[in-house]
Amino acid sequence: MGTVKIGINYCHHYEGLPKPEYQTAGAAGFDLLAAIDHDRELKPGDFQLMPTGIKIELPFGYEGQVRPRSGLALKHGITVLNSPGTIDSDYRGEIQVILINFSKNIFLVTRGMRIAQLVVSEITKVELAETLSLHETERNSGGFGHTGW
């Protein structure tokens, strides 16, 4: 496992919150916190854009993936709506997270709450080559549920 250094800037509304860090040595991502100035209610079925108060500078050839936290999903039905959200290497704005409440209960997002995680991954660019046909496979065009439930 390699290490890549990325630049980080903190927005004024991040002040007083702990620096992002990996929670364990084997963690794939580090937590993103809710950098909000007041508690926000997420009603059942509602979604909101939550600021994280950080901006990052990813090197060319890398992306950031905003992913849900499994504990929020399991215990509260809260997840990231456009999961995974992609942060491109040329984006320099504040990272924000679209949270949605799939539960039947109101969920309170509080300042500093761990709302998502960010995984940084190397990407591969592909070159698309138009062809008249594609090689056949055992699966071929079988789609959703074609191998059974």
Side-chain angles (χ1 to χ4, degrees), residues 71-141:
L72 281 181
L74 176 63
K75 296 175 185 171
H76 304 286
I78 305 299
T79 192
V80 176
L81 187 57
N82 64 323
S83 180
T86 298
I87 301 168
D88 296 311
S89 65
D90 57 353
Y91 177 69
R92 296 294 183 266
E94 179 181 5
I95 296 172
Q96 298 191 60
V97 178
I98 306 168
L99 289 183
I100 187 165
N101 184 352
F102 282 119
S103 79
K104 295 178 177 143
N105 303 308
I106 292 173
F107 182 77
L108 191 65
V109 179
T110 58
R111 178 170 174 76
M113 178 181 282
R114 299 183 304 164
I115 57 171
Q117 59 182 318
L118 184 70
V119 175
V120 175
S121 298
E122 193 168 7
I123 59 169
T124 301
K125 290 280 188 173
V126 299
E127 182 179 326
L128 299 174
E130 189 172 348
T131 181
L132 296 177
S133 64
L134 302 175
H135 294 95
E136 297 284 324
T137 68
E138 186 177 322
R139 178 180 181 180
N140 221 14
S141 62

Side-chain angles (χ1 to χ4, degrees), residues 13 22 32 37 42-43 45 53 70 83 85-86 100 102 112 117 122 145:
H13 51 279
Y22 293 91
L32 296 172
D37 57 359
L42 259 181
K43 295 181 177 153
S70 57
S83 180
T86 298
I100 187 165
F102 282 119
Q117 59 182 318
E122 193 168 7

